Amino acid sequence: MSLLLGAEACLERLRIVEQGSGLVADVRLNGVKRQKVFAALAWRPGADYDLFLRTDRGWLSFGAQAPTLAESSMQVELLAPYDSGAAEMLQPGAASKSHGAVIAAGDYTTCALILRSGIQRQALLQGSLTLDAPAEFDQTNLPPDVALRGQAGRWVMSFTRRFSGVGDVHALVFRVRAPLGAASLLGARLTLSHGGKPQHYQRQIRLKAMDAAQMATRIKVLADSLPASAIGLVDSRATAQTLYFRPPMFVTLTRWLGLGEAVKMYWQPYSYQSIVLRNDSRDTVSLLINAKTVSADSDRTPAAFYPPDLFTGTMKDMSVVVSASLLPGERARVAVPIFISSTPMPGQYRRQVTIKPMAGSKPIMVLESPLHIRTMNWRALFFTLAALVTAAIGFAVLAWKFRGILAGLKIRWVVIIALFGSLNFVGVNLPIMVFGAMIQGLLGPFSGLITGLFSDLLYFALTVTLIRLIPRPGVVALSSLVRYLLAAIIAGGFQITDLVYLGTAIAVKESALYLAGVTRKKEEFVWNWPNMCLLAALLALGDAFLNATSIYIHMVVFRLYFADWYIALNVVVNGLIYTTMAVLLGKRFSDRLVWAED
């Protein structure tokens, strides 16, 4: 099944429903920008189907009837050059509209006839492809089962293909070379027969040969950056042009925490380089992008950056080869994989990217950018070790004092503590669980400024309110345990990193409250402005340490690397500013509460 839209659209979802039987297929397309949609399904001959396609402009609906076995045909595409992405499904009995493509001057361009079976049985297909091409035809690289006849610029290829069923695909690959200058019109007429009435197809393709200098004026590089995701989205939280590797000390620490090492997949990229291109020509352009990592002082690729052979193609210089096809005026983001087979030496490297036309030998342009490899972050190590020691002290003191803490609490106080722990989970953890991904998608690295309103501002406002009602040691620790247990049970699973952060948070907060005099003086503590300023300062410093600790633990354990500005933003805004505001807000709110003693 194929759909051809009137214009390109961002495709979100495709649903196919057979009338009388129900849902056949439900495919999420993840916002890919296309004009045509293809789906393979086991259709029932003569059945009626409803097709629903959701785009960025809303839902579209179509009705279609499956052909009978006698009427079923092949899905036919003619790609010139191959992987141009600009061809549409050819329709039998009608001439398809022409389209243009740019090819490299002086080089043969690979073209392909793609045949995909729509017959629900085995079939022997006989075909004849006639090409009216003023371009030069390469007769030396045809498949052995193709018979070729040619005269006066007309070439006829006869072939036979056997198909096993629906979705079976065969490709007939051939090569042409167009002269430099004016566009050459490649006319194609195709006849297919598989036991019934022959079907005829027609198409015209305008091939325009350009040299590298001409192409370079039409292909623009809008951005070149790393690290990026597998779809080319740049992580602005990470340091630009930098890859981070955990040193052996960090790996040992991770294993000691019980997290283990992730399985090393040689075929899986370590990261990606994002290249944004724009085609300013009036024709489709197909490109090959070669990228490699070399030493700072030579063009040699260190062994640690060797990619798998699957991604090098025929290249012998250890570069990764990916393709890209740009329609006229299209802007495309290309994700180039970066493979790491072993931990490289820290230092400076270079990324070399060569952009060539498909099947061309001369590059359009060569891009070069620095690559920094870092393996040791002393701040991350210091904060992680400090968190481990602090968490151990926090849990040890809590276990030692636990019975005494409970003995000093009234029953209703325990209920209030549990209530505030639950309120912290509902008001702090739950909104981040539900909306965190959406906020991250909308704001990127600045999402912490919004989630910090819950995790820091609201949390410490509730904490100050609770400790003013029950100014006793261990109250905040018990409330934190209730909140953590609820989050762990509902979110699923207990992680070592969470326990380290929990133990550190208990020790830091209880220490700040004790030093400020709240849990040391208890009911004798005076909630005046000087004491409040001292409490705000101690809690803010403690929360700044907790925010930094959370980030650095993730760097150590999960192989992340955050930019210094991102760390400073979270520490200053979430740790210092939000916490200071929360203490003052908690005092103002607790002033309105009436605490009744029996």
Side-chain angles (χ1 to χ4, degrees):
M1 184 276 298
S2 63
L3 294 175
L4 179 63
L5 306 179
E8 280 194 340
C10 293
L11 309 180
E12 301 289 345
R13 192 172 185 179
L14 174 65
R15 292 170 56 87
I16 303 176
V17 179
E18 181 180 345
Q19 295 181 10
S21 298
L23 183 67
V24 174
D26 189 352
V27 182
R28 298 185 182 275
L29 302 175
N30 299 323
V32 63
K33 190 176 181 181
R34 289 290 184 271
Q35 188 176 0
K36 61 180 179 179
V37 187
F38 171 81
L41 68 151
W43 45 268
R44 188 164 54 87
D48 293 318
Y49 290 86
D50 293 319
L51 291 77
F52 303 92
L53 179 64
R54 188 173 73 184
T55 72
D56 54 341
R57 303 173 185 174
W59 282 95
L60 302 175
S61 60
F62 309 87
Q65 185 180 45
T68 63
L69 289 178
E71 297 172 340
S72 60
S73 62
M74 293 288 158
Q75 305 268 341
V76 179
E77 286 183 288
L78 182 61
L79 299 173
Y82 182 66
D83 196 34
S84 66
E88 62 186 70
M89 292 291 180
L90 303 187
Q91 303 300 322
S96 299
K97 66 179 183 180
S98 300
H99 80 273
V102 175
I103 60 176
D107 292 304
Y108 281 108
T109 296
T110 302
C111 307
L113 174 68
I114 309 297
L115 302 174
R116 183 180 287 105
S117 176
I119 309 171
Q120 292 188 326
R121 56 180 172 82
Q122 290 187 353
L124 183 65
L125 179 73
Q126 294 180 337
S128 175
L129 177 63
T130 301
L131 298 174
D132 295 322
E136 181 181 348
F137 195 91
D138 182 11
Q139 306 178 47
T140 61
N141 291 289
L142 286 175
D145 57 346
V146 173
L148 177 67
R149 304 190 310 274
Q151 59 179 0
R154 174 175 295 179
W155 304 90
V156 180
M157 289 182 287
S158 302
F159 57 91
T160 301
R161 292 288 188 273
R162 184 177 297 277
F163 291 85
S164 59
V166 173
D168 198 8
V169 179
H170 287 279
L172 175 61
V173 179
F174 57 94
R175 302 202 306 163
V176 297
R177 180 163 58 188
L180 179 63
S184 300
L185 195 62
L186 177 65
R189 296 188 302 277
L190 176 67
T191 300
L192 298 178
S193 176
H194 50 83
K197 182 180 179 181
Q199 295 178 329
H200 304 280
Y201 305 81
Q202 294 185 43
R203 124 146 297 169
Q204 287 185 332
I205 301 174
R206 187 178 70 256
L207 299 178
K208 188 172 184 179
M210 291 186 186
D211 58 23
Q214 290 176 305
M215 255 189 212
T217 63
R218 291 164 172 81
I219 303 299
K220 304 297 184 184
V221 177
L222 304 182
D224 176 13
S225 53
L226 66 87
S229 67
I231 59 175
L233 296 177
V234 179
D235 186 358
S236 53
R237 297 176 302 175
T239 303
Q241 309 301 125
T242 301
L243 295 180
Y244 176 70
F245 292 84
R246 292 182 300 170
M249 183 185 302
F250 283 19
V251 175
T252 302
L253 183 59
T254 301
R255 190 180 298 112
W256 180 76
L257 289 174
L259 298 175
E261 275 289 285
V263 178
K264 294 181 178 179
M265 298 292 292
Y266 182 53
W267 303 98
Q268 181 178 355
Y270 187 87
S271 185
Y272 292 85
Q273 181 176 4
S274 176
I275 301 176
V276 181
L277 302 171
R278 188 180 68 220
N279 177 16
D280 288 340
S281 71
R282 297 181 179 180
D283 299 290
T284 299
V285 178
S286 296
L287 303 171
L288 279 179
I289 301 174
N290 301 344
K292 62 180 179 178
T293 302
V294 298
S295 302
D297 54 356
S298 70
D299 289 336
R300 184 185 61 85
T301 298
F305 295 97
Y306 285 179
D309 294 340
L310 175 66
F311 292 88
T312 62
T314 59
M315 307 301 295
K316 303 300 182 183
D317 60 350
M318 293 302 165
S319 63
V320 173
V321 182
V322 296
S323 63
S325 181
L326 283 75
L327 298 174
E330 183 180 9
R331 179 181 181 271
R333 181 186 290 110
V334 181
V336 182
I338 301 174
F339 291 92
I340 306 292
S341 58
S342 60
T343 302
M345 294 293 293
Q348 307 299 317
Y349 296 85
R350 292 178 295 136
R351 288 286 293 173
Q352 289 183 348
V353 178
T354 303
I355 301 177
K356 299 180 180 179
M358 185 73 70
S361 58
K362 296 181 179 180
I364 298 174
M365 62 187 71
V366 178
L367 309 176
E368 188 167 302
S369 57
L371 174 62
H372 310 286
I373 300 296
R374 298 185 182 179
T375 58
M376 176 59 75
N377 189 304
W378 291 105
R379 286 198 303 270
L381 180 61
F382 168 78
F383 276 90
T384 301
L385 293 178
L388 289 172
V389 173
T390 306
I393 295 175
F395 280 127
V397 173
L398 180 63
W400 180 39
K401 298 282 188 178
F402 189 76
R403 181 174 296 181
I405 292 173
L406 289 181
L409 297 176
K410 300 177 182 179
I411 297 298
R412 62 166 173 257
W413 288 358
V414 176
V415 174
I416 294 295
I417 293 171
L419 176 63
F420 268 81
S422 303
L423 187 60
N424 274 322
F425 167 75
V426 173
V428 177
N429 294 71
L430 200 57
I432 296 177
M433 290 180 185
V434 175
F435 301 108
M438 181 182 69
I439 296 173
Q440 171 68 33
L442 293 175
L443 300 180
F446 301 102
S447 60
L449 302 181
I450 302 300
T451 57
L453 294 174
F454 299 95
S455 61
D456 295 279
L457 183 61
L458 179 58
Y459 171 75
F460 277 98
L462 293 174
T463 298
V464 170
T465 302
L466 172 63
I467 202 63
R468 188 171 184 185
L469 297 178
I470 313 173
R472 294 288 190 280
V475 170
V476 172
L478 294 177
S479 176
S480 299
L481 286 174
V482 172
R483 173 193 173 193
Y484 170 73
L485 290 173
L486 286 173
I489 292 172
I490 293 179
F494 296 81
Q495 298 183 10
I496 296 296
T497 52
D498 293 337
L499 291 174
V500 172
Y501 182 81
L502 175 64
T504 305
I506 288 175
V508 169
K509 295 169 191 174
E510 288 288 350
S511 299
L513 292 171
Y514 185 83
L515 293 175
V518 179
T519 56
R520 179 163 42 87
K521 298 179 181 179
K522 302 177 183 178
E523 283 80 2
E524 296 179 2
F525 180 79
V526 180
W527 292 83
N528 53 25
W529 286 111
N531 288 339
M532 287 300 302
C533 290
L534 176 61
L535 176 62
L538 291 174
L539 286 178
L541 290 175
D543 193 39
F545 173 76
L546 292 176
N547 274 273
T549 297
S550 176
I551 293 175
Y552 284 122
I553 287 179
H554 280 77
M555 290 175 61
V556 171
V557 175
F558 298 112
R559 205 192 71 185
L560 300 175
Y561 193 83
F562 298 102
D564 291 338
W565 70 265
Y566 175 78
I567 299 173
L569 179 69
N570 281 271
V571 170
V572 173
V573 177
N574 293 347
L576 298 178
I577 297 177
Y578 281 174
T579 306
T580 301
M581 294 171 57
V583 173
L584 302 179
L585 183 64
K587 178 186 182 303
R588 185 177 180 84
F589 178 69
S590 61
D591 285 339
R592 300 177 180 273
L593 294 180
V594 177
W595 183 250
E597 289 280 356
D598 287 340

